[in-house]
Amino acid sequence: MKRKIYLAVMAAAVISMAGCGKKTDDTSTDATPESTQEATVTEEATPEAEEPVQDTQEAETTSGDETGVYPNATGLTEVAMGVTEDICTFKAPLNYVLAGGYYDENNEEQTIEGLNSATTTVEEALAAGSFSTGNHLAFFTMTSLDADQTMITTGMYTPDIMSWDDFKTYYPDAKEIGDTNVPGLLYHVEAISGQSVAVAVKVSDDVTLQIVYEGSLEDEIGEDELGQRLYNLVTVK
């Protein structure tokens, strides 16, 4: 395995940032209304200045949780992921906190501005434009804020880090899921909370996305059903 799986590092970073991470605040600027032209005839009414329209990021969201993965989710959105370009989307709950980053031109991990706090929710990051910085989200750790403490860690792997064939070799007991167009693997990895369910999805010929789940669902619905639900979080473009 060419690089140690990013799970422990990313998750530890999120935990250590809790309570001290800088939360992205929405800042507002007073818009200067356009000057109103004076009326040349006394009978003509001076037109009212139109209120400025606030430029906000558009994002399609749904209420509740249709994935069966996120307990107490208030709603869902799909965040784009990729290495050099966006190649898939990932269903994320609006009220979970998310910290993530991208790979620079030297294939080094860099944090995305606005996604470096353990207190900023997905909904707040969307409103702040943190998913539209021009950097491609390649890895993140996402955690619930309630007592459930569900945690999902994802990471994209290129062949110089770990190829699809490397995944199949490294996890020889993995179960094949998905289909021929978008194949997947279901296996277990050692995570912070112990042995956890993981799914690898071949999102392109050169990129494999790994998803590691930590929470209570495996005991409730079983490994196979949980693996399928995790696989269904990903939509390949």
Side-chain angles (χ1 to χ4, degrees):
M1 186 172 179
K2 301 179 182 178
R3 177 184 291 185
K4 185 175 180 180
I5 293 176
Y6 188 72
L7 168 66
V9 177
M10 190 65 189
V14 171
I15 293 172
S16 67
M17 286 189 292
C20 63
K22 182 179 179 183
K23 184 175 180 179
T24 304
D25 294 326
D26 293 335
T27 58
S28 60
T29 57
D30 294 331
T32 304
E34 296 181 1
S35 59
T36 305
Q37 185 178 2
E38 294 183 358
T40 57
V41 181
T42 57
E43 289 79 11
E44 292 181 358
T46 302
E48 296 182 359
E50 295 183 358
E51 294 184 1
V53 178
Q54 186 178 4
D55 184 16
T56 57
Q57 182 184 12
E58 295 183 0
E60 293 186 4
T61 62
T62 59
S63 61
D65 174 31
E66 61 186 23
T67 69
V69 175
Y70 306 115
N72 303 318
T74 58
L76 296 173
T77 190
E78 295 195 29
V79 296
M81 297 191 69
V83 178
T84 59
E85 62 179 347
D86 292 335
I87 54 179
C88 69
T89 61
F90 194 96
K91 294 181 179 67
L94 297 175
N95 57 324
Y96 280 39
V97 297
L98 183 150
Y102 66 99
Y103 295 125
D104 62 18
E105 63 274 7
N106 298 317
N107 207 25
E108 297 292 332
E109 296 163 353
Q110 303 293 339
T111 302
I112 294 178
E113 184 177 356
L115 299 181
N116 54 353
S117 169
T119 60
T120 300
T121 65
V122 172
E123 186 171 22
E124 291 168 337
L126 280 170
S130 302
F131 294 102
S132 304
T133 62
N135 301 123
H136 303 287
L137 184 66
F139 54 86
F140 65 78
T141 292
M142 186 167 57
T143 312
S144 64
L145 291 173
D146 54 29
D148 177 79
Q149 288 297 300
T150 298
M151 177 182 289
I152 286 183
T153 303
T154 71
M156 286 192 156
Y157 294 82
T158 53
D160 58 315
I161 301 174
M162 192 169 180
S163 69
W164 175 251
D165 289 337
D166 290 336
F167 271 92
K168 292 194 292 185
T169 300
Y170 197 81
Y171 301 105
D173 297 329
K175 300 177 182 178
E176 294 186 1
I177 60 176
D179 54 43
T180 56
N181 293 325
V182 186
L185 296 173
L186 170 61
Y187 49 94
H188 282 81
V189 297
E190 187 66 32
I192 294 176
S193 61
Q195 284 289 307
S196 299
V197 170
V199 168
V201 183
K202 188 178 181 182
V203 292
S204 76
D205 290 340
D206 296 324
V207 179
T208 301
L209 173 63
Q210 179 177 247
I211 309 164
V212 178
Y213 169 89
E214 296 183 71
S216 60
L217 279 180
E218 184 178 8
D219 292 336
E220 298 174 13
I221 62 176
E223 170 191 307
D224 293 342
E225 177 60 25
L226 175 57
Q228 187 61 48
R229 292 185 186 183
L230 294 174
Y231 173 89
N232 291 339
L233 297 177
V234 180
T235 301
V236 176
K237 292 186 175 183

